[in-house]
């Protein structure tokens, strides 16, 4: 392999930051990470039946180290009934109960998240998990997508994980173990032409094989790329959408602009990646090597298949093991065999709950199309309540001050209603909002 040296990249793109100490720490873990990757490749098409049978012993070993899960009766026949639920609120209020005493706090990597369902919370990662999450996971995705060929392996830049915040801004990491090229974390802020143009320059000179980001940022770069810039995206093998729901319209739009496939994925900063689409894009296959997914059905039953709130259990990040973590996302999980060779559980549909319509006199409006408000605007969460027969109260939560945001949301909604509905938009801080309670209806209409 004849790849570009890090120093050459840094002299071409001076706004990127390389931290030697971070890299040294990652480097020390490369042997175990390589083993993990090999295991993933070998087991990528392993058949998974009952997920608890697969995960029981490792879940027991790791989770019993933290005080929050000491009461689980792993040796009992009915151990599943003794596993408690874990909420975001639990983590916010008592994080110490979920941290593995094996690590001291200064050994851990941490990531405060804006949170799509409530106030921010901080996730703690073991160094190994951090490296997996930031560096190796995109290699795994490429394996599952079947796009990891010789040309991609020899690319100067393997991936660009675009972000809007200040989480390791403009970092560059050489891949420990030199399996693939450089890993970038470009920061792209709304309305910041400089950050956008700098990214376009990287794509033109050193095209990444994979670009991953939230639907909102992917949409922003697709909208802002000029015809000449679009041509330089031709070497990108795939876009991976993460962090929030990708609507069909938006996927089509981005694919149409760049003539490159967009793959959807599902993950949480608290547990890392959970599922990703294969190249057939039928459903998101669960990453059985590292997570166990269940649903809490509307009748209260916890099951590995069906529709309900998605619960995730994972001890892959042994610094902060989580069991039956309530994601606040509604989805449908199905067992089956995919033509790509995967046989196991897949998330078929996220936010698949059948929603009622808002009714304004004789006019009805389906809130279905509003799920992507968080991708269209820089907001973290929202709730729309019908408070009078012809009035909607729209509560939105967002981090930094954004001029005119409330007005823009109001204008957007008014545009879509097609009838005279009074809309009031307010900024709020939610305590906890589950996606299925985003819409509140007036009874009796
Ligand atoms: Zn598949």
């Amino acid at each position: 392999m004849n790849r570009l040296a890090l120093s050459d990249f840094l002299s071409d793109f001076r706004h990127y930051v390389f931290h030697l100490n971070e890299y040294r720490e990652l480097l020390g873990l490369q042997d175990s990470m390589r083993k993990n990757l090999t295991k993933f490749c070998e087991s990528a098409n392993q058949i998974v039946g009952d997920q608890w049978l697969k995960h029981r012993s490792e879940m027991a070993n790791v989770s019993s180290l933290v005080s929050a899960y000491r009461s689980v009766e792993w040796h009992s026949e009915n151990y599943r009934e003794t596993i408690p639920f874990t909420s975001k609120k639990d983590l916010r209020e008592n994080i110490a109960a979920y941290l593995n005493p094996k690590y001291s706090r200064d050994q851990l990597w941490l990531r405060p998240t804006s949170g799509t369902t409530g106030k921010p919370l901080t996730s703690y990662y073991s160094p190994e998990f951090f490296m997996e999450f930031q560096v190796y996971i995109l290699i795994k995705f490429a394996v599952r997508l079947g796009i990891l060929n010789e040309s991609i392996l020899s690319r100067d830049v393997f991936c660009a994980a675009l972000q809007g915040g200040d989480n390791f801004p403009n970092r560059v990491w050489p891949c420990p173990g030199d399996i693939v090229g450089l890993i970038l974390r470009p920061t792209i802020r709304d309305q910041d032409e400089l950050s956008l143009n700098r990214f376009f320059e990287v794509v033109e000179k050193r095209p990444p094989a994979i670009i991953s980001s939230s639907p909102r940022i992917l949409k922003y770069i697709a909208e802002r790329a000029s015809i000449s810039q679009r041509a330089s995206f031709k070497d990108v093998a795939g876009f991976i959408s993460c962090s929030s729901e990708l609507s069909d319209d938006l996927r089509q739009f981005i694919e149409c602009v760049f003539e490159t496939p967009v793959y959807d994925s599902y993950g949480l900063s608290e547990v890392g990646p959970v599922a990703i689409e294969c190249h057939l894009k039928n459903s998101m296959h669960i990453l059985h090597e590292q997570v166990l997914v269940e649903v809490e059905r509307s009748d209260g039953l916890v099951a590995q298949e069906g529709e309900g709130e998605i619960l995730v259990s994972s001890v892959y990040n042994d610094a902060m093991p989580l069991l039956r973590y309530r994601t606040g996302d509604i989805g449908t999980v199905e067992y089956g065999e995919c033509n790509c060779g995967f046989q196991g559980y897949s998330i078929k549909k996220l936010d698949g709950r059948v929603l009622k319509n808002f009714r304004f006199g004789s006019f009805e409006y389906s809130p279905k199309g509003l799920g992507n408000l968080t991708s269209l605007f820089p907001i973290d969460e929202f709730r729309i309540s019908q408070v009078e027969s012809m009035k909607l109260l729209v509560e939105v939560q967002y981090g930094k001050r954004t001029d005119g945001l409330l007005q823009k949301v109001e204008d957007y909604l008014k545009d879509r209603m097609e009838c005279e509905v009074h809309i009031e938009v307010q900024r709020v801080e939610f305590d906890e909002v589950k996606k299925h309670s985003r819409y509140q209806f007036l009874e009796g209409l």
Side-chain angles (χ1 to χ4, degrees):
M1 264 181 268
N2 182 23
R3 281 205 217 102
L4 178 85
L6 173 69
S7 56
D8 290 341
F9 181 86
L10 288 170
S11 68
D12 281 353
F13 303 101
R14 291 179 184 275
H15 62 290
Y16 276 88
V17 181
F18 170 70
H19 278 211
L20 183 60
N21 282 344
E22 278 173 12
Y23 182 59
R24 274 213 179 116
E25 186 168 1
L26 300 181
L27 212 53
L29 297 161
Q30 60 172 310
D31 287 344
S32 64
M33 294 311 301
R34 269 175 174 254
K35 268 185 216 147
N36 263 344
L37 192 61
T38 311
K39 212 170 117 195
F40 172 82
C41 293
E42 285 168 359
S43 66
N45 288 338
Q46 188 189 55
I47 298 166
V48 174
D50 186 316
Q51 299 174 81
W52 279 110
L53 293 183
K54 177 179 167 64
H55 287 288
R56 180 180 180 174
S57 65
E58 52 155 345
M59 293 268 180
N61 290 341
V62 181
S63 70
S64 52
L65 296 173
V66 307
S67 61
Y69 301 125
R70 286 232 174 91
S71 61
V72 182
E73 294 163 22
W74 290 105
H75 298 290
S76 148
E77 211 178 298
N78 302 323
Y79 68 96
R80 296 183 199 194
E81 287 156 31
T82 67
I83 301 170
F85 293 102
T86 311
S87 70
K88 289 182 170 60
K89 197 161 169 256
D90 295 332
L91 295 189
R92 271 199 295 268
E93 289 176 357
N94 192 14
I95 188 70
Y98 297 88
L99 295 184
N100 189 337
K102 166 180 155 186
Y103 296 98
S104 65
R105 292 250 182 144
D106 59 1
Q107 285 178 292
L108 300 177
W109 294 66
L110 51 99
R111 179 161 153 185
T113 56
S114 61
T116 50
T117 50
K119 286 180 194 153
L121 67 88
T122 300
S123 298
Y124 292 83
Y125 307 136
S126 69
E128 194 167 326
F129 180 79
F130 175 80
M131 180 161 150
E132 160 83 30
F133 196 0
Q134 302 298 323
V135 178
Y136 278 84
I137 189 61
L138 285 158
I139 306 179
K140 287 186 177 177
F141 280 180
V143 169
R144 177 143 288 166
L145 291 171
I147 57 174
L148 201 60
N149 56 28
E150 197 51 43
S151 122
I152 283 181
L153 284 168
S154 59
R155 203 68 80 82
D156 294 339
V157 174
F158 172 63
C159 67
L162 310 180
Q163 52 159 349
D166 285 320
N167 187 25
F168 305 101
N170 293 320
R171 279 295 202 282
V172 51
W173 286 303
C175 170
D178 201 31
I179 299 169
V180 291
L182 300 174
I183 284 130
L184 310 181
R185 286 191 65 85
T187 301
I188 295 191
R189 292 197 174 83
D190 286 332
Q191 317 304 331
D192 178 356
E193 293 290 323
L194 180 65
S195 65
L196 191 68
N197 289 331
R198 279 171 161 175
F199 174 63
F200 286 143
E201 204 184 323
V202 170
V203 176
E204 195 179 315
K205 292 187 177 154
R206 308 280 172 206
I210 291 176
I211 293 177
S212 74
S213 196
S214 64
R216 185 160 64 86
I217 293 180
L218 294 180
K219 176 172 179 265
Y220 184 52
I221 60 169
E223 280 172 349
R224 302 305 301 273
S226 65
I227 301 291
S228 62
Q229 280 153 349
R230 285 169 193 185
S232 54
F233 277 80
K234 69 179 188 314
D235 292 323
V236 176
F239 289 92
I240 294 174
S241 165
C242 48
S243 357
S244 57
E245 299 152 50
L246 172 72
S247 67
D248 291 344
D249 289 353
L250 185 55
R251 188 201 299 251
Q252 259 177 22
F253 171 66
I254 300 165
E255 290 188 335
C256 182
V257 169
F258 294 121
E259 295 177 5
T260 303
V262 179
Y263 304 102
D264 201 5
S265 72
Y266 176 63
L268 304 158
S269 50
E270 300 90 314
V271 292
V274 173
I276 182 170
E277 284 182 335
C278 65
H279 65 283
L280 298 168
K281 302 188 202 169
N282 288 329
S283 60
M284 292 187 279
H285 302 334
I286 287 165
L287 293 158
H288 285 304
E289 303 74 27
Q290 51 202 73
V291 291
L292 182 158
V293 172
E294 294 169 298
V295 288
E296 186 184 13
R297 297 183 190 171
S298 54
D299 58 9
L301 263 181
V302 174
Q304 296 187 23
E305 268 186 285
E307 185 188 348
E309 177 171 3
I310 296 191
L311 307 171
V312 177
S313 300
S314 178
V315 297
Y316 201 62
N317 171 22
D318 68 343
M320 192 175 83
L322 291 174
L323 299 180
R324 289 200 171 147
Y325 185 63
R326 289 185 191 277
T327 62
D329 293 316
I330 301 295
T332 304
V333 177
E334 274 180 17
Y335 183 83
E337 198 181 338
C338 177
N339 285 338
C340 71
F342 173 87
Q343 187 169 348
Y345 293 90
S346 298
I347 299 178
K348 200 76 188 159
K349 215 164 51 164
L350 261 185
D351 224 351
R353 192 177 148 99
V354 183
L355 285 167
K356 292 208 300 194
N357 288 346
F358 285 117
R359 296 189 65 177
F360 309 108
S362 58
F363 179 81
E364 287 196 24
Y365 183 79
S366 161
K368 245 183 179 168
L370 299 175
N372 64 350
L373 271 188
T374 50
S375 1
L376 293 169
F377 298 98
I379 60 178
D380 299 325
E381 190 47 270
F382 67 91
R383 182 163 59 203
I384 302 181
S385 316
Q386 185 168 16
V387 287
E388 287 171 26
S389 62
M390 294 300 278
K391 181 177 175 182
L392 290 180
L393 173 66
V394 181
E395 296 162 294
V396 296
Q397 174 178 306
Y398 53 93
K400 56 177 190 285
R401 217 185 101 98
T402 311
D403 288 338
L405 176 64
L406 297 181
Q407 189 61 49
K408 282 181 201 159
V409 174
E410 185 181 323
D411 292 346
Y412 173 80
L413 291 171
K414 273 194 175 143
D415 251 17
R416 305 198 41 148
M417 288 298 162
E418 294 168 16
C419 77
E420 282 301 308
V421 179
H422 183 60
I423 292 172
E424 187 181 330
V425 187
Q426 283 180 1
R427 182 182 186 177
V428 294
E429 287 287 320
F430 290 114
D431 185 31
E432 194 96 42
V433 174
K434 287 190 179 164
K435 286 191 179 161
H436 57 268
S437 59
R438 269 178 172 170
Y439 309 102
Q440 310 286 325
F441 303 88
L442 260 188
E443 294 304 322
L445 280 179

